[in-house]
Amino acid sequence: MWTWLPAGWRVHQRVVGIVREEMDAIGGQEMLMPVLQPAEPWRKTGRIEIEELFKLADRKGSELVLAMTHEEAVTTHVAQVVRSYRDLPLILYHFQVKERDEPRPRAGVLRTREFVMKDSYSFDRDQAGMDERYQLHVGAYDRMMARTGLRFYRVEGDVGMMGGTGAHEYMAPCAAGEDDVVLTESGYAANAEVVRAQLGKEQLDPAVDRMGGESFELEKAIEIGNIFKLGTRYSEPLGARYLDEHGAELPIWMACYGIGPARIVAAAVEQYADEHGISWPRSLAPFQVHLVALGKPGTPERDAADALYATLLAGGVEVLYDDRDAGTGEKFADAELLGCPLRLTVGRRSLESGEIEVQVRRGRAEAPALRLDAEPRQLLAELRARLDELP
RNA sequence: CGGGGAGUGGCGCAGUCUGGUAGCGCACCCGGCUGGGGGCCGGGCGGUCGCAGGUUCAAAUCCUGUCUCCCCGACCA
């Protein structure tokens, strides 16, 4: 079980922000469902049998579960509310804790028994509608992934125990990953598990095996999102039905879509860290700017740093100000550990040269300095332009 | 569930084999110096050695039991 400390949580919440914007953009409506739930709906869908499902009882002996996903809950609500084809389609989502009794949690936040997931659920009158909602999500997920700055693949996935008729997974390549991705020259990508099943093989050997005659590569990756076509897998047992134009009662077609902010954070660390620490993609960084002040309080250089900090704050720049009483080396080393995209330094040299030193974290590259005596508006404009150039 | 490893100041570890005053580095506190790459000097605080029982004059150390954590595998929505 893991606690997110302040800087890490800022990163997590930046991922959440990106995901929320893209979900809203395809018509998703945010809500919140409970983690602690009655066992009854899980009995109806048969998922009460899953070993990874935490089960418990309250003081009266009523059976409860801790939700591992929210199909049961959301479908129950939809079954109560939706009566007509006029109520469809619907996309509902939330960011909520998931609880899973994993046989072996591992690798930090990569596989944990408790984690936050954005899970959305689409509800349609027929298969064609479901496919449409599914495609909307593919677009939204592609945009989310691109915005995180991660290298990623969308691959054909395994429907697994979710049941249903189709699935894709979003995979972020990194050595710490638990899954293998098959990549062909023509751009086909799939979870190696799926390929093994299709070929009926236990192991894949890129040197020997061929994908439709093509050679392929295997790459380690983290699964950061997955989407499933569920069909009527949940609407049937939970009674989620609607009346069509002819008065016929029909089951609602569903799909579900998950994404794990924690895994995106972990993948970003893995993909971009160097020997000096983390190097966040700009869209995920806890702060855009890390301002290092050198010199003791009361010195002119510190006054200049304080003034710059005030300017940045007033200008709406997300800035972390290191005004600790610590050595220069320690401050620089910590800035590189934390990994904000741009580091500004103000010290005695700045007063002599009239310049604010600028370092780009990715590659630890020195960038052209900013003028210490620039008008605030001009300084902020220049700084934003610099930030916009960063990955 | 199978296999392996570890529990000793806040963190990382040594000490356990061969029982005899609990130690090191970092961190922390105080004073001073230093002030553009984890700096220096001096002085300090802090530990029922995971827990329970046993052997012994004496247990971090030996014996028995137990709890927890980590790694590999199986599993994995």
Side-chain angles (χ1 to χ4, degrees):
Chain A
M1 290 136 206
W2 295 83
T3 293
W4 288 81
L5 298 178
W9 188 244
R10 286 180 73 97
V11 178
H12 186 283
Q13 294 306 78
R14 295 192 75 95
V15 176
V16 166
I18 290 171
V19 171
R20 177 177 286 127
E21 286 177 14
E22 296 300 337
M23 286 308 302
D24 290 348
I26 61 168
Q29 299 182 79
E30 187 169 356
M31 61 191 298
L32 185 64
M33 293 177 275
V35 177
L36 183 63
Q37 302 184 359
E40 183 54 26
W42 294 77
R43 195 163 278 120
K44 286 181 179 170
T45 62
R47 294 213 299 174
I48 191 81
E49 301 297 334
I50 294 177
E51 283 195 325
E52 282 71 25
L53 182 66
F54 279 107
K55 299 145 187 119
L56 64 158
D58 68 11
R59 65 177 75 195
K60 293 181 299 186
S62 300
E63 289 182 74
L64 301 167
V65 304
L66 298 178
M68 55 201 317
T69 57
H70 282 76
E71 281 80 2
E72 280 77 2
V74 75
T75 307
T76 297
H77 292 309
V78 166
Q80 288 173 348
V81 170
V82 171
R83 298 266 74 92
S84 158
Y85 69 94
R86 296 178 205 273
D87 298 324
L88 299 173
L90 270 179
I91 297 174
L92 300 171
Y93 77 95
H94 67 169
F95 296 89
Q96 179 60 293
V97 169
K98 303 290 178 273
E99 303 280 352
R100 299 181 182 182
D101 192 356
E102 294 282 353
R104 185 157 97 79
R106 72 180 89 190
V109 298
L110 242 44
R111 175 171 294 278
T112 54
R113 295 197 291 185
E114 176 178 278
F115 60 96
V116 174
M117 179 190 279
K118 185 288 295 175
D119 39 325
S120 50
Y121 305 90
S122 64
F123 301 87
D124 281 274
R125 58 180 298 170
D126 53 25
Q127 184 166 8
M130 176 189 74
D131 289 342
E132 200 175 312
R133 237 55 57 201
Y134 189 88
Q135 280 310 122
L136 279 176
H137 274 82
V138 168
Y141 270 50
D142 286 354
R143 286 187 289 276
M144 287 173 202
M145 298 301 169
R147 286 180 62 184
T148 63
L150 289 183
R151 291 190 294 117
F152 72 96
Y153 304 110
R154 184 179 72 233
V155 306
E156 291 187 17
D158 188 351
V159 294
M161 290 177 71
M162 293 297 296
T165 55
H168 285 90
E169 295 171 355
Y170 285 80
M171 311 289 284
C174 78
E178 297 184 291
D179 296 291
D180 290 315
V181 177
V182 169
L183 302 165
T184 69
E185 289 172 3
S186 59
Y188 174 80
N191 188 323
E193 209 56 51
V194 174
V195 176
R196 289 188 191 104
Q198 287 169 352
L199 297 183
K201 302 196 65 161
E202 297 252 324
Q203 290 297 326
L204 292 176
D205 183 354
V208 177
D209 297 318
R210 291 288 181 274
M211 288 292 302
E214 264 192 288
S215 61
F216 65 88
E217 291 178 24
L218 279 177
E219 190 166 15
K220 285 275 180 208
I222 304 176
E223 181 185 334
I224 50 182
N226 51 16
I227 58 181
F228 297 92
K229 293 181 181 178
L230 296 172
T232 59
R233 162 73 178 85
Y234 293 90
S235 50
E236 298 266 16
L238 294 169
R241 295 181 287 270
Y242 70 97
L243 293 180
D244 72 6
E245 297 91 328
H246 312 293
E249 190 173 63
L250 297 167
I252 294 171
W253 284 69
M254 293 174 56
C256 68
Y257 317 87
I259 194 166
R263 284 187 169 182
I264 288 177
V265 173
V269 171
E270 296 290 335
Q271 287 189 358
Y272 296 112
D274 60 22
E275 65 271 27
H276 298 283
I278 299 172
S279 172
W280 295 110
R282 194 163 68 88
S283 62
L284 303 188
F287 300 90
Q288 298 292 288
V289 172
H290 191 130
L291 173 58
V292 174
L294 303 178
K296 277 189 278 201
T299 61
E301 57 265 33
R302 173 59 71 88
D303 291 344
D306 287 349
L308 175 58
Y309 179 53
T311 299
L312 297 181
L313 273 188
V317 176
E318 290 187 313
V319 53
L320 176 64
Y321 186 30
D322 189 349
D323 61 349
R324 292 176 299 170
D325 180 19
T328 307
E330 187 176 354
K331 290 186 177 185
F332 286 162
D334 281 348
E336 281 156 13
L337 266 180
L338 186 56
C340 297
L342 211 57
R343 187 185 81 200
L344 303 183
T345 305
V346 173
R348 193 177 290 163
R349 279 189 205 166
S350 311
L351 298 182
E352 292 163 0
S353 64
E355 293 180 334
I356 302 163
E357 185 179 300
V358 181
Q359 189 218 47
V360 174
R361 175 62 185 86
R362 190 74 54 86
R364 298 172 79 220
E366 286 301 318
L370 296 166
R371 293 298 307 172
L372 190 55
D373 57 4
E375 287 298 313
R377 202 166 32 166
Q378 191 183 348
L379 179 69
L380 290 166
E382 175 69 17
L383 182 61
R384 291 203 183 91
R386 295 288 188 82
L387 285 168
D388 285 342
E389 292 169 6
L390 299 178

